Amino acid sequence: MPAAGETAGGCAGYCPRCGRNHFLDGVAARPAALALMQFFDDNDHVHLARPENAPDDRTKTAPLFGPERGKMFGVLLCRDVQGKTKILYGFSGMFNGHWRMPGWVGPLFDVDTFHDLVVSVERSIKQLGRRMKQEKQNGTAWGRLRTRRRDLSRQLMQRIFALYRVPDFRGGRHTLFQAFVGESGMPTGTGDCCAPKLLAHAARHRLVPVSLAEFYYGRENASATRVHKHFYPACEEKCAPILGTMLCGIGEMDAQDTTI
Ligand SMILES: [Zn+2]
Ligand SMILES: [Zn+2]
């Protein structure tokens, strides 16, 4: 359970369109988050649709307690157009090397397009590495190849970011570059946390978010800022800069619903 004084969680961000912050509650989703922790405790895997399955290489939670350490998980409480409660589940980044997992929301980009891009660019990077081995180290040709290899790696990150589609709750769609509010560059992994994945899925399926709870599960991170089963608000570095745009329009959806 959260320690006394721990923040209520949820998420917030500055919306450039409205010129103010948008917020989402972090409390109402906690019972569903606690139930998810209990599911992990009881089953040692994350296959929500098939609790009776034994843990396998794709679904097992055991690696969360090993050298790779734990991970953030999120639960988004929503209402559908009929007013029925829906619960969405998300994990940060990849789980056991997978972007997709049955019963969980996916990332903000098309996974097949992502893999095609990464595979082709990494092939080129390896080719350049092999050609460098044939040249005299620190020679002119070698230096040129090294520069090209470095540029390719840098461009890859930007090309990956360009695959992300960031919806809001007004029917708008943005790129990560458009959604990101901040002076500094976008950190690696922006858009891969639970909050953006969950909100994007809700927006695409016309679900109205009510509350978001995120918790850490597994061996604490190296700096001990993330502790097993503790709740945390959406992160400041990667999430806060895009959440203002993503949360935009939630209030309007609520207003529409109450007039029906
Ligand atoms: Zn985050
Ligand atoms: Zn707004």
Side-chain angles (χ1 to χ4, degrees), residues 160-171:
I160 287 173
F161 278 147
L163 298 178
Y164 287 61
R165 295 291 170 266
V166 186
D168 61 28
F169 287 88
R170 295 176 181 278

Side-chain angles (χ1 to χ4, degrees), residues 49-68:
R50 297 190 186 279
E52 70 281 7
N53 279 14
D56 59 34
D57 282 348
R58 187 180 168 97
T59 62
K60 64 187 178 189
T61 52
L64 299 172
F65 297 92
E68 289 177 39

Side-chain angles (χ1 to χ4, degrees), residues 27-100:
V27 177
R30 286 198 174 198
L34 291 169
L36 182 58
M37 292 182 203
Q38 191 64 50
F39 181 95
F40 294 163
D41 287 350
D42 292 344
N43 299 289
D44 300 322
H45 69 72
V46 301
H47 199 321
L48 299 178
R50 297 190 186 279
E52 70 281 7
N53 279 14
D56 59 34
D57 282 348
R58 187 180 168 97
T59 62
K60 64 187 178 189
T61 52
L64 299 172
F65 297 92
E68 289 177 39
R69 299 177 182 268
K71 177 175 280 298
M72 291 294 297
F73 294 86
V75 172
L76 185 65
L77 207 68
C78 309
R79 275 187 293 104
D80 66 13
V81 279
Q82 277 103 37
K84 278 208 290 266
T85 298
K86 283 224 159 194
I87 301 173
L88 302 178
Y89 300 97
F91 51 83
S92 66
M94 301 169 93
F95 190 84
N96 288 338
H98 298 279
W99 289 108
R100 288 183 286 223

Side-chain angles (χ1 to χ4, degrees), residues 72 92 189-196 214 226 233-243:
M72 291 294 297
S92 66
T190 298
D192 293 337
C193 290
C194 306
E214 287 188 64
R226 292 282 183 270
C235 73
E236 283 298 318
E237 322 78 62
K238 293 179 272 187
C239 288
I242 59 171
L243 287 180

